[in-house]
């Protein structure tokens, strides 16, 4: 798997969908000062190449 961390704009785009799936993410993000990372997984071949 290739797993780049999402950029701020990517997170803004997908965050509403993520909290629909798991609402506690939103409450936790509001309670903490740290950023909850959003990571997109992309399949790779057996050599690790995208």
């Amino acid at each position: 798997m290739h797993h780049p961390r999402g950029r701020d704009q990517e997170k803004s785009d997908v965050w509403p969908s993520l909290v629909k799936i798991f609402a506690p993410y939103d409450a936790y993000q509001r309670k903490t000062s740290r950023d909850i990372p959003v990571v997109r997984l992309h399949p790779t071949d057996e050599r690790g190449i995208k």
Side-chain angles (χ1 to χ4, degrees):
M1 285 279 163
H2 175 65
H3 53 86
R5 183 172 175 169
R7 289 186 226 113
D8 290 341
Q9 184 60 49
E10 277 185 296
K11 181 177 178 179
S12 296
D13 293 344
V14 299
W15 190 255
S17 298
L18 294 175
V19 297
K20 279 184 182 178
I21 295 167
F22 191 70
Y25 281 146
D26 200 37
Y28 179 66
Q29 183 64 83
R30 282 184 270 131
K31 290 179 187 176
T32 186
S33 60
R34 76 174 193 87
D35 182 48
I36 298 174
V38 172
V39 178
R40 237 179 242 256
L41 299 177
H42 300 279
T44 59
D45 69 12
E46 64 277 355
R47 296 169 292 159
I49 298 172
K50 293 193 275 180

